[in-house]
Amino acid sequence: GAPHRRKRAFDPVDRIFTSPTGAMSPPPGVHLGGHPASDAMYGTTTAADATMNERYFSLYAKGKTPPGSSTPAAEARDAGDDAPQRKWNHLPVDSIRAEFPALTDANHDGWAFMENAGGSQVPRRVADAMHHYMCNNYVQLGAGYPHSDRADATVHRAHQLVKTFAGVRPCSAGGAGGEVILGSSSTQLLATLASCFDVLHSVGDEIVVQRAGHEANIGPWVNLSRRSGAKLSWWYPGPNGNAGDVAELERIVTKDTKIVALCHVSNLLGEIIDLPRIVEVIRTRAARDCQIIVDGVAFAPHRPIEVDEWGVDWYAFSPYKVYGPHVGALFGSAKALELVTGPNHYFIDPKQVPYKFELGGCSHEACAGLVAMGGYLRRLVTGVQPNDPSLDRAPDDLNIAGDLDPTRAECVAACEYMTRLEQTPQTVLAGYLSRMHERGFIRVIGPLTDDPSVRVPTFSFVPTTGGVTVASVVAAAHASKIAIRSGNMYGVRLLEDLNIDPEVGVVRVSLVHYNTEEEVAALITALNEVLLG
């Protein structure tokens, strides 16, 4: 049927639950026990965990908050999330840039970073949090002593932060539920996921794969088709991209289609596909249990992720392109997770998700960075400085200032504010590239528009005048201290379809909210020098 719809400002923050007798219980899905992988994140409570749970519950009596729970400050913020009169305190651009060491004059030596689709810069707080974690809490999870308890809290909060950022709504609140799996990259996570489908598909099944995206969400499904004997159907782009051609999708999806793998935004084209419409087509025409697997890596740095509203089964993105540490994230809905078993050790219960999918566990120090990334997102729209001494917590507090984690409404507001900040640089660059395209100096692939409902500020082009190459364009930009690059950006199949040599590739310019109109003007000057001679 049609994808589930929900109110946009929903905030999936764990609550403190009270039994009918008035006794306190932990938030749903949070258990502290003795499992080496930390039941605080992954496990289920057993009789052997009684002592640990007593310590957990005693925190309430002491006025402290266990990991993953709302604090009074967060509860107060949550109550105002849906209030129409809520006012945001947006951080000005100069203050935003000051958050990033690479953007300060002393560190970047005048360089403008415009290759953000390959990885964004990180706020100082992210690097500091990872450093602090490794110097103070770099121990195993689930061991029961204070350092380990703080590590438990960090890993749990990181997963909760990513779920909040992605718009995961629990089943108990009428949503699709689900979990977030962390790994080294989206590429690794999608390859791992595809291997879990081996036993589910065979001859007679069909797999539809969009060719306009990154190979991360193409190759795994091509390989699954070869292993299983399932039919592979390609979803081809239009002449100049047009990654989300609905008519073409309607033609190739059938009642035998069991998987559709696609990108939300092409990392080369910058085009935003109409995901709700795509989901509707698939749900109407494909098999009932068809899995919709979305690569959202190029979408996540620019717009709010709404996995519950869109009704997708799986959604991958890369926090290291959203101002966080080098880690990948994969959402799986509760229903989708019931279909597959993670590849972790045989003695780990399949219901221990995400741990069953996180081979060897996730990076704990990266989790600390993710928590700090959340603090940055909140600061964008509230002005709250997470290291404000008045809000600091004692070192032995498991919560570690958890009331500073962003709510869902704050995540959405931060993304919408980033979209606003991107718009002027995007308009200036889109206008310039469109004029150069029309005059025959370059060929832009992707939408020739600055419309934020159609594209994000990721632009790719090839020079079309004699003697000018992608390499010479990039060299001219570098000579002006503008960091861009050329290549195929792992979109080899798309470039082949557009008759562009993948070995040469395209010039890509990718902006985010900390890029300025002045930086774009400097890029245009450098491009004019090489394109116009």
Side-chain angles (χ1 to χ4, degrees), residues 33-38 52 55 139-149 152:
H35 192 283
S38 174
M52 188 70 165
R55 291 196 307 106
V139 298
Q140 289 296 303
L141 305 183
Y145 53 92
H147 305 73
S148 181
D149 291 344
D152 289 339

Side-chain angles (χ1 to χ4, degrees), residues 260-325:
V260 178
L262 64 144
C263 65
H264 200 166
V265 167
S266 165
N267 68 322
L268 288 176
L269 305 175
E271 175 191 357
I272 305 172
I273 73 163
D274 186 352
L275 187 56
R277 173 63 176 142
I278 297 301
V279 170
E280 182 181 14
V281 168
I282 296 168
R283 296 296 185 220
T284 301
R285 293 173 174 266
R288 286 187 59 187
D289 59 348
C290 179
Q291 298 291 285
I292 301 175
I293 303 161
V294 184
D295 170 2
V297 171
F299 179 91
H302 309 284
R303 304 289 186 273
I305 301 176
E306 304 274 6
V307 293
D308 195 77
E309 181 175 326
W310 297 326
V312 298
D313 299 293
W314 304 89
Y315 195 97
F317 71 99
S318 297
Y320 72 92
K321 300 181 182 183
V322 195
Y323 325 109

Side-chain angles (χ1 to χ4, degrees), residues 111-143:
W111 279 84
F113 295 95
M114 299 188 185
E115 178 36 27
N116 298 287
S120 67
Q121 297 300 315
V122 297
R124 184 181 303 278
R125 73 186 68 248
V126 172
D128 287 349
M130 296 175 73
H131 175 266
H132 177 83
Y133 180 89
M134 296 185 78
C135 290
N136 295 277
N137 305 312
Y138 200 51
V139 298
Q140 289 296 303
L141 305 183

Side-chain angles (χ1 to χ4, degrees), residues 312-363:
V312 298
D313 299 293
W314 304 89
Y315 195 97
F317 71 99
S318 297
Y320 72 92
K321 300 181 182 183
V322 195
Y323 325 109
H326 199 294
V327 63
L330 175 65
F331 159 78
S333 71
K335 186 176 180 180
L337 285 165
E338 291 176 354
L339 294 177
V340 295
T341 299
N344 216 339
H345 304 304
Y346 77 93
F347 50 81
I348 297 173
D349 189 331
K351 294 181 181 179
Q352 287 187 290
V353 178
Y355 185 44
K356 190 67 173 178
F357 289 85
E358 294 178 344
L359 290 163
C362 59
S363 166

Side-chain angles (χ1 to χ4, degrees), residues 30 39 101-102 110 114 121 157 175 183 194 196 212 267 274 328 333 337 354 370 386 397 452 498 526:
V30 180
D39 287 348
M114 299 188 185
Q121 297 300 315
R157 284 178 62 201
C196 299
N267 68 322
D274 186 352
S333 71
L337 285 165
L370 284 171
D397 186 342
L498 299 178

Side-chain angles (χ1 to χ4, degrees), residues 141-164:
L141 305 183
Y145 53 92
H147 305 73
S148 181
D149 291 344
R150 292 195 296 270
D152 289 339
T154 299
V155 172
H156 176 75
R157 284 178 62 201
H159 285 79
Q160 290 302 108
L161 179 278
V162 177
K163 288 173 70 174
T164 301

